[in-house]
Amino acid sequence: MESEKAGSVNGQPPANLPPGLHPFRDWTVEKFVELDEVPIDQAAQERHRIYCMLLMSIVLDDWNGNKYGEVGDYGQWRVDQRMPQAADVYRGGSYLGHNIAALAVDAEGHVIDYDFNHNEIFDSSVEHAESRLVRRVFALNQVYDSWQGNGDPLPRRIAAPARRQRRVFATAVTDRADRVTPRTPEKVASGYSTLLSDVTVYTSLESCAQCTGIMCLASVKEVVYLQPDAGQFLIGNIMRQATKAQSLSFTAPRPISGKEIGLKYYDELTEGAEDFTARVRDQPFFRSATKTNNSPSVTSYLCTDGAFRTFESAAEELSGWSTLDYPDYRPDRPEPALSNREVLAMVKDFLEYVKTVKNRGTSHRV
């Protein structure tokens, strides 16, 4: 007798199987994690790459490879990050962090804000960049606080309209009802769960289950990742597949890899991480009197000189980028969106803001 499919009863799906999973119960894992192809035209790819290089520039500006402290031996992996006066002291000071960050962009193309992974600051495994960022964006929408607001001390390259106000929160649902921006009746009824449904998140490393879950609870539109992380088991693809048919709230963002938008740094980071994994067993990432670490962790790779040079190349490209292939491209949407030319100017403004003011996204500050 042939064994029944795992989890089935008399060939029927289990009673508690969510309806959204019914179409996939007989699929192979390989098929389940393979999302339908959604072509991205060249103009939109160019737009995505601008934001990706902004994110890489932000990471570079606060670069710190001291995963296990500033004193020790990071071997060949961080030769260029040594302090000149001592071979076993590395620049970056006492901060213990990850070179992982995320950036949020609204539908018109305005940068909302960014945040960093802060696991080491809080002695916690859940202070990931995307989850911190989503909570931050919800808070910014409550107070409607924009980096482009009054009192901004920096000159601007473009006179673009400020971010459109979407919601003014009040305590009671009835107080909010007449202040929402026009949406479908279903989305208005679902309230705050769709507040970020037109937001794109850019993250420097493929999202984990926690971050995918939080972005799903916010119904973030899509997440663009600059580097894959095999340790996350394609959870973004799985949750997207399982929730994309829902008509109301809690839809996981569509994952978009850097490869899909023609980002050359995606391949550089992927290949660099693979090389690190292959060699770190024999050439430890870190040694001290009490500790040796030769784990092939991607967070260790992101502290290395090789990763630094990739991020540096992206920052240099953004800094010198002045000629676009699709300067006048704007997404087709009801509200006026920034053109690619305006986006490029705005992200350079935002990067200057990050470097000068440093009081929005919490990079290496709590």
Side-chain angles (χ1 to χ4, degrees), residues 11-12 24 31 41-42 56-57 104 116 118 122 143-144 183 250 256 268 284 311 319 323 340:
Q12 298 300 312
F24 312 117
K31 187 177 181 182
D41 63 45
Q42 293 295 317
M56 296 180 78
S57 299
F116 270 73
H118 271 353
F122 293 104
V143 299
Y144 195 64
R183 295 176 183 271
F250 305 143
I256 301 174
E268 287 187 24
F311 280 78
S319 176
T323 302
N340 281 10

Side-chain angles (χ1 to χ4, degrees), residues 84-269:
Q85 66 270 27
D88 60 348
V89 179
Y90 294 77
R91 69 181 180 89
S94 60
Y95 174 79
L96 304 178
H98 299 78
N99 292 311
I100 303 172
L103 180 78
V105 175
D106 73 12
E108 288 82 51
H110 296 280
V111 173
I112 304 173
D113 216 332
Y114 73 101
D115 217 321
F116 270 73
N117 179 301
H118 271 353
N119 281 1
E120 296 290 345
I121 286 180
F122 293 104
D123 290 326
S124 166
S125 60
V126 299
E127 293 294 333
H128 291 189
E130 301 97 307
S131 63
R132 290 175 57 82
L133 178 64
V134 168
R135 295 195 301 269
R136 186 177 188 84
V137 173
F138 269 120
L140 290 173
N141 271 280
Q142 289 185 31
V143 299
Y144 195 64
D145 183 14
S146 171
W147 68 277
Q148 293 173 309
N150 294 331
D152 183 353
L154 299 176
R156 295 286 161 235
R157 293 173 174 82
I158 59 169
R163 288 188 61 239
R164 181 173 55 87
Q165 186 169 358
R166 286 170 171 71
R167 184 77 60 92
V168 179
F169 281 155
T171 302
V173 173
T174 52
D175 292 338
R176 293 201 303 260
D178 61 348
R179 298 180 182 180
V180 296
T181 54
R183 295 176 183 271
T184 64
E186 294 83 3
K187 285 195 171 183
V188 170
S190 62
Y192 54 78
S193 62
T194 59
L195 182 61
L196 308 186
S197 61
D198 55 6
V199 168
T200 298
V201 169
Y202 295 83
T203 180
S204 55
L205 187 63
E206 187 176 3
S207 302
C208 70
Q210 175 204 215
C211 294
T212 301
I214 287 177
M215 288 189 288
C216 178
L217 292 174
S219 291
V220 167
K221 176 185 176 184
E222 56 196 7
V223 56
V224 180
Y225 59 93
L226 278 60
Q227 181 178 351
D229 185 353
Q232 303 312 323
F233 310 106
L234 291 174
I235 189 63
N237 293 37
I238 292 170
M239 288 191 64
R240 176 64 178 178
Q241 198 76 277
T243 64
K244 66 182 181 181
Q246 295 190 158
S247 61
L248 298 179
S249 59
F250 305 143
T251 303
R254 178 190 168 224
I256 301 174
S257 73
K259 182 177 285 293
E260 292 178 70
I261 59 170
L263 183 71
K264 65 182 180 181
Y265 304 110
Y266 179 89
D267 287 337
E268 287 187 24
L269 291 169

Side-chain angles (χ1 to χ4, degrees), residues 279-299:
R279 295 195 289 130
V280 73
R281 296 292 188 189
D282 298 323
Q283 303 169 42
F285 172 67
F286 179 79
R287 288 192 184 97
S288 69
T290 59
K291 181 182 183 67
T292 297
N293 182 281
N294 56 4
S295 167
S297 166
V298 69
T299 58

